[in-house]
Amino acid sequence: MKLGIGKALGIATALGAAAGQAQCPDFTTFAQSPQGTPSTGVLGLPFMRPDPACRTFNSSAVEQVIDDMKSRLKDPDLARLFENTFPNTLDTTVKYFNATENLAFIITGGISAQWLRDTGNQFAQYHSLLASDKELATLVKAVINNEARYVSQYPYCGAFQPPPESGLAPTVNDYALLVTVNPPVDNQTVFECKYELDSLCSFLKLSRSYYQATKDSSFMNAEWFDAISQIFNVVWEQSQPTFDADFNLISYYNWTGEAGSLSPAVNNGGNGEPRGGPGLVATHHRPSDDLSTFAFLTPANAMLVIELDNLANILEDADKASNVSQLARQYSKTISDAIWNSTLENNIFAYETNGLGSRYVMDDANVPSLLSLPYLDFLDKTHPAYVATRKLLLSRQNPYFSQGKNFSGISGPHVDAWNPWPMSQISAIFGTDDDAEILESLYLIANNTAGLGLIHESVSIYDGTYTRPWFAWANSYFSEMLLDLASRKPGLIFTENKPYTPGQ
């Protein structure tokens, strides 16, 4: 394997540096018009990868998976979608990587910032390759190490500026201007400090995924354990109710806009809606970066349950920090019990609750979502509570479900209610074994890329227009889903009914 822009391991790399930035087009612009030779399928989807010299990281193992899948997929359009989406994170988002410093800075698309949530998902489809591709594993380890630094300093924040070692300039985030955050942050390090519980879960996800694949525990250094300690502090703090027994305000984090800010003001002094203390962990913002209506987000807590158990598993396997693994299991059990005891009514999970009896029955496209509960490994897709909840979510009873002539799905207030996200259809595929349902969702996605062969943020049900031409997480999630089908439903997408798993 070679680094994508010609630098050897241990030497810093920056997007477009060796190839010459003038010769490498901005991918946001590149992704808005068809490139390359069309596929031979009915959609004639274009080839949307940058020139090899402009790719930010190259992996022969990744290229082998692309060849393997293309040779097996019976639909040339699906083969082209996989070819475009599977390598997109490596092709376009490795803004900085230095193996000697053990640091990597990964962007999610057109915004020069690293989101904890996105990186945990952007690399998920490469999990099975880490044992055999040492350079790819080194990159992921460097991402974890950089994020451990972020989390140990600012555990309530979800998006960060480049590390100083990179020489990359911090980006001014207009949406963070005039926002008051407590505890205060340094905007030279933090891109935006919206507290999202799933961001911390994603750091845990990337860490355990790396260990599960490589059995390399060397990333578990002092700073990583500091980050884990900070995560436990947040979990405890955000398990507390708004008021104590004497109605003294309990506030460990608050966030609010000010007059003239692009971000909205938050009621109750930036603390949001009052909450009780049912054993769940509160989050100020959703995975979509939008404000929570009620503090306890069921799918984020479900993800936390799984990732705390996974944290305990890898620490026990590595024979490290038994006190941490014990605490992780205690919290996981408490939170899991609270989900089943306080968010489920008539076999329907609420998306959000406040611990005081209020429920918000809906879903948002961003993962973790209720629709993605099987993907998160919280429950089986055949569980009666999931089956009933899923039926509601994919209907008018979910206020953020919408359907048009050519596209349908779940959206969220981040864009608007009539722009469903393809990500919701991907989650729907992970949540069913029904062949007809899988194919319906799969081709809703494939037929709605605006002829560009990439997975966009959202698609209008009225005219097919889309948001975000370059959204690496959505591309990764799509290719991860196709690899899942390659393993559990090969006859549905392959010319032969033989399962395929990369690296095996």
Side-chain angles (χ1 to χ4, degrees):
M1 280 65 70
K2 301 293 183 183
L3 296 186
I5 48 182
K7 299 287 186 177
L9 277 173
I11 300 177
T13 65
L15 186 63
Q21 289 182 325
Q23 287 74 42
C24 294
D26 171 70
F27 196 75
T28 300
T29 303
F30 180 92
Q32 293 182 66
S33 59
Q35 310 290 333
T37 304
S39 65
T40 58
V42 295
L43 297 176
L45 296 177
F47 179 74
M48 299 297 286
R49 298 185 66 186
D51 184 272
C54 293
R55 296 171 190 169
T56 57
F57 189 98
N58 284 319
S59 162
S60 59
V62 166
E63 299 302 324
Q64 184 61 57
V65 174
I66 293 170
D67 289 343
D68 291 346
M69 288 289 284
K70 286 171 60 182
S71 69
R72 289 167 168 79
L73 285 161
K74 56 188 173 185
D75 185 336
D77 291 321
L78 293 183
R80 175 54 54 83
L81 276 174
F82 185 83
E83 183 178 21
N84 289 341
T85 59
F86 182 65
N88 188 251
T89 286
L90 299 183
D91 281 357
T92 67
T93 71
V94 185
K95 195 77 170 177
Y96 176 78
F97 171 43
N98 188 306
T100 301
E101 295 172 344
N102 194 22
L103 292 173
F105 180 68
I106 311 297
I107 61 175
T108 187
I111 304 171
S112 186
Q114 182 164 323
W115 266 264
L116 301 178
R117 171 184 58 252
D118 290 64
T119 52
N121 291 291
Q122 283 171 250
F123 285 91
Q125 78 276 27
Y126 305 133
H127 170 82
S128 62
L129 301 179
L130 299 185
S132 59
D133 188 335
K134 301 304 182 185
E135 291 184 17
L136 181 57
T138 300
L139 172 64
V140 174
K141 181 180 174 182
V143 175
I144 295 168
N145 191 60
N146 190 36
E147 292 189 349
R149 175 194 290 184
Y150 293 146
V151 174
S152 63
Q153 288 182 278
Y154 298 109
Y156 276 106
C157 303
F160 296 89
Q161 304 281 9
E165 294 87 345
S166 69
L168 299 169
T171 300
V172 176
N173 178 11
D174 290 340
Y175 285 91
L177 297 177
L178 300 178
V179 171
T180 301
V181 181
N182 285 303
V185 300
D186 179 0
N187 286 333
Q188 297 297 298
T189 300
V190 174
F191 181 79
E192 126 179 317
C193 196
K194 293 176 176 176
Y195 161 55
E196 298 152 350
L197 179 59
D198 68 287
S199 292
L200 298 178
C201 297
S202 293
F203 171 71
L204 296 176
K205 174 182 176 178
L206 190 62
S207 297
R208 62 89 173 168
S209 178
Y210 174 84
Y211 180 80
Q212 288 172 337
T214 66
K215 297 299 181 180
D216 172 22
S217 64
S218 62
F219 70 93
M220 298 178 186
N221 55 26
E223 194 152 51
W224 185 82
F225 276 109
D226 284 346
I228 298 301
S229 178
Q230 289 282 35
I231 290 172
F232 279 116
N233 286 340
V234 170
V235 168
W236 183 86
E237 291 172 357
Q238 295 304 316
S239 300
Q240 308 307 308
T242 298
F243 298 110
D244 69 11
D246 297 317
F247 281 93
N248 295 304
L249 177 67
I250 302 173
S251 178
Y252 294 97
Y253 166 92
N254 57 72
W255 180 99
T256 186
E258 296 179 354
S261 170
L262 290 175
S263 298
V266 180
N267 58 5
N268 296 307
N271 291 283
E273 285 295 301
R275 63 181 189 256
L280 298 171
V281 182
T283 186
H284 205 274
H285 288 80
R286 298 171 176 172
S288 59
D289 292 336
D290 299 311
L291 284 167
S292 302
T293 299
F294 297 130
F296 299 121
L297 180 64
T298 302
N301 276 269
M303 186 178 185
L304 182 60
V305 166
I306 299 306
E307 295 309 333
L308 286 174
D309 273 339
N310 283 325
L311 173 64
N313 290 338
I314 66 171
L315 289 173
E316 290 163 5
D317 191 74
D319 195 23
K320 292 181 183 288
S322 60
N323 60 324
V324 177
S325 63
Q326 290 171 10
L327 185 57
R329 293 207 187 278
Q330 290 171 15
Y331 270 125
S332 178
K333 175 68 163 57
T334 298
I335 298 163
S336 179
D337 288 347
I339 290 173
W340 290 104
N341 293 333
S342 67
T343 75
L344 197 63
E345 188 174 295
N346 297 324
N347 243 10
I348 303 295
F349 288 104
Y351 183 69
E352 292 171 342
T353 58
N354 65 1
L356 300 168
S358 298
R359 296 164 48 84
Y360 193 3
V361 178
M362 60 158 285
D363 204 18
D364 191 294
N366 282 261
V367 177
S369 61
L370 292 176
L371 196 61
S372 69
L373 288 176
Y375 169 77
L376 300 174
D377 205 26
F378 181 73
L379 45 59
D380 190 87
K381 60 178 71 72
T382 62
H383 192 288
Y386 178 73
V387 173
T389 302
R390 173 191 173 92
K391 182 178 179 181
L392 180 149
L393 299 179
L394 296 174
S395 76
R396 284 181 179 269
Q397 290 179 276
N398 174 8
Y400 282 96
F401 174 83
S402 61
Q403 185 170 6
K405 181 180 179 181
N406 296 313
F407 192 63
S408 65
I410 298 170
S411 57
H414 194 71
V415 179
D416 54 48
W418 47 93
N419 272 267
W421 293 40
M423 191 178 289
S424 69
Q425 293 292 353
I426 298 171
S427 295
I429 292 171
F430 275 110
T432 185
D433 284 320
D434 185 280
D435 289 359
E437 290 180 352
I438 291 171
L439 289 174
E440 180 181 6
S441 291
L442 188 56
Y443 281 95
L444 277 173
I445 300 166
N447 292 333
N448 284 278
T449 72
L452 295 171
L454 292 168
I455 310 304
H456 299 130
E457 178 186 53
S458 72
V459 178
S460 169
I461 62 171
Y462 300 125
D463 58 14
T465 55
Y466 65 89
T467 59
R468 289 190 72 176
W470 179 18
F471 189 16
W473 174 16
N475 289 312
S476 291
Y477 196 35
F478 178 84
S479 62
E480 185 185 5
M481 174 270 294
L482 275 186
L483 288 173
D484 177 65
L485 292 180
S487 174
R488 70 180 171 102
K489 290 280 187 178
L492 204 58
I493 59 172
F494 286 168
T495 54
E496 295 185 64
N497 189 24
K498 295 180 180 178
Y500 168 75
T501 301
Q504 296 184 5

